[in-house]
Amino acid sequence: MTSPSGQRSTARRRAYDPERNRRAVLAAARRLFAAQGYDAVSIRAIAAEAGVTAGLVMSYFGTKDALFREVVGGGAGIGTDVVAHAGSGPERLAQALAHAYLERWDQLTPDDPWPALIRSALTHPPSAAMLREVLEKQVSGPLTRLLDGSATADASAGLVRSILFGVIMERYLFAHEPAHSVPTEKLEPALAAVLAVALQDMPTPADTPDEAQDSGANAVARILTEWQAELPDTDVSALAVFGRLHRCFLRYQTQISRIIEQHGISFAALDVLTALRRAGAPYRRTAGDLATSSLVSTGGITLRADKLEEAGLILRERDEDDRRIVYLRLTDTGLALTDRLIEDHFANELDMLAGLVPAERRRLAALLERLEGSLEVSGQRERKASFDARACEG
């Protein structure tokens, strides 16, 4: 049986247990801040909730501001788990950032103080100042360091912070539609794509000289360096795009050819067969339609069609209403072969893109679309200049 003096000794040990008291104060502060907001909670109220004196709270944390910072920790910031993706480029960093934020706020607990602080900041200037200070430290600071060296570092950091904060406000605090109801698996890639654009000027660590020398992917960089040394007054920067496009196409063509040759056809035949398959039943198009979609002359399509017809994969048939129109149509054999081929073909293409996350693929596709438009405009200017020159000679 425990004596009264023994009970007092146990109570005294609990009363003087610094770590236990500190945990009790943090737990009490977390509950009160979450329930009442930053501005409505006093040190005295936190002490009473924790069962300690206000002086003890002050001795641990100094001020209510310092206590609140301890309570919120890094919950709304950019942690080391996200920063670790920075070396892989803006798309991967954006994906990690979107995932971390949505996961953190999707799993928000009822006693989390962040929503209360944000709501308090709308009407209480000290709360707004506290929120601003925490965001500067936990979000803007890490972002600015990651973007160091970029001409738009401050603007990009501010934009990312605004995007993230806007999502939090719309989705989690005010439950505005459609942001509130969009499933996370759909919102995350969309948010990552927007963040990637905001982070696009982020510097990426350069390869070491030894790595660059050994990497075929950096051959263009070496060529650029050589040209810049030889022709310092000439802008050779376009090579950074077209040199890599050319090398990518050669590698792509090699890997595609390996697949299609397994099915007994050529790279040129692939365009015709897949274009007819995309047309839907009865799987036919004119030679002119095929020439437009593949950037090959009608004569070139005719030569390809001759070989495919000999192989029994397509046939020619005339339009019932206008006998002048001739269609190329997949035979049953051609349709079966094409379906087998495209299954392997698309799997092969996905494998070639495995090094890019979905946001990077979308961004690259958009940039290539713009590049194609630029090339088309350039071609039009060249054709006009050629026409004008011939007119002058005439």
Side-chain angles (χ1 to χ4, degrees), residues 357-377:
V357 298
E360 290 172 320
R361 298 178 195 177
R362 289 191 295 271
R363 184 180 172 202
L364 178 59
L367 289 173
L368 289 174
E369 181 181 9
R370 292 178 61 184
L371 174 61
E372 185 175 4
S374 180
L375 291 171
E376 185 175 350
V377 171

Side-chain angles (χ1 to χ4, degrees), residues 27-293:
R30 186 179 183 88
R31 288 192 299 272
L32 291 178
F33 281 135
Q36 301 176 29
Y38 172 78
D39 57 314
V41 178
S42 67
I43 289 291
R44 192 175 300 277
I46 293 171
E49 178 79 6
V52 299
T53 65
L56 189 62
V57 175
M58 297 294 286
S59 69
Y60 285 146
F61 301 101
T63 65
K64 187 174 81 166
D65 289 359
L67 174 56
F68 184 83
R69 292 190 193 93
E70 184 78 13
V71 169
V72 299
I78 298 177
T80 56
D81 55 332
V82 174
V83 173
H85 291 81
S88 301
E91 284 80 8
R92 291 183 184 274
L93 176 61
Q95 186 179 48
L97 195 53
H99 178 77
Y101 262 75
L102 293 179
E103 182 179 54
R104 188 254 190 269
W105 283 84
D106 280 349
Q107 298 175 5
L108 207 67
T109 58
D111 64 345
D112 195 293
W114 266 102
L117 173 64
I118 296 174
R119 291 191 179 96
S120 294
L122 299 177
T123 57
H124 184 243
S127 297
M130 167 64 74
L131 177 62
R132 185 164 54 250
E133 182 182 340
V134 173
L135 290 177
E136 284 291 334
K137 180 179 179 180
Q138 296 187 8
V139 181
S140 297
L143 278 175
T144 302
R145 288 191 291 273
L146 289 174
L147 292 162
D148 184 36
S150 166
T152 60
D154 289 340
S156 296
L159 182 56
V160 171
R161 176 171 145 176
S162 297
I163 292 168
L164 293 172
F165 200 66
V167 169
I168 290 170
M169 297 286 281
E170 288 277 294
R171 181 175 175 84
Y172 300 102
L173 267 70
F174 299 139
H176 288 170
E177 298 295 352
H180 178 63
S181 299
V182 175
T184 300
E185 60 270 19
K186 292 184 178 180
L187 180 60
E188 184 175 317
L191 176 58
V194 174
L195 291 171
V197 174
L199 292 165
Q200 62 186 338
D201 291 332
M202 184 186 76
T204 53
D207 291 334
T208 64
D210 289 343
E211 289 172 338
Q213 188 67 29
D214 294 336
S215 173
N218 285 287
V220 174
R222 295 197 300 274
I223 294 170
L224 274 169
T225 301
E226 292 169 354
W227 275 123
Q228 287 165 350
E230 289 297 311
L231 303 173
D233 297 327
T234 302
D235 186 355
V236 297
S237 60
L239 180 62
V241 175
F242 293 109
R244 289 187 172 90
L245 279 176
H246 179 65
R247 292 174 63 85
C248 285
F249 173 72
L250 293 177
R251 293 176 185 273
Y252 171 81
Q253 190 174 43
T254 297
Q255 291 184 241
I256 291 296
S257 296
R258 177 177 55 83
I259 294 296
I260 62 178
E261 286 171 2
Q262 293 175 2
H263 293 272
I265 65 169
S266 67
F267 193 89
L270 176 68
D271 274 348
V272 175
L273 294 176
T274 53
L276 295 177
R277 180 65 180 85
R278 291 196 311 271
Y283 310 109
R284 69 180 191 178
R285 296 183 191 268
T286 66
D289 291 337
L290 293 172
T292 300
S293 66

Side-chain angles (χ1 to χ4, degrees), residues 273-323:
L273 294 176
T274 53
L276 295 177
R277 180 65 180 85
R278 291 196 311 271
Y283 310 109
R284 69 180 191 178
R285 296 183 191 268
T286 66
D289 291 337
L290 293 172
T292 300
S293 66
S294 61
L295 299 181
V296 177
S297 67
T298 303
I301 294 295
T302 299
L303 291 175
R304 297 178 182 184
D306 289 343
K307 294 180 180 179
L308 291 170
E309 190 172 29
E310 289 176 10
L313 300 177
I314 69 169
L315 54 81
R316 289 178 166 91
E317 60 183 19
R318 293 190 178 275
D319 188 276
E320 295 178 358
D321 299 322
D322 188 344
R323 304 292 292 174

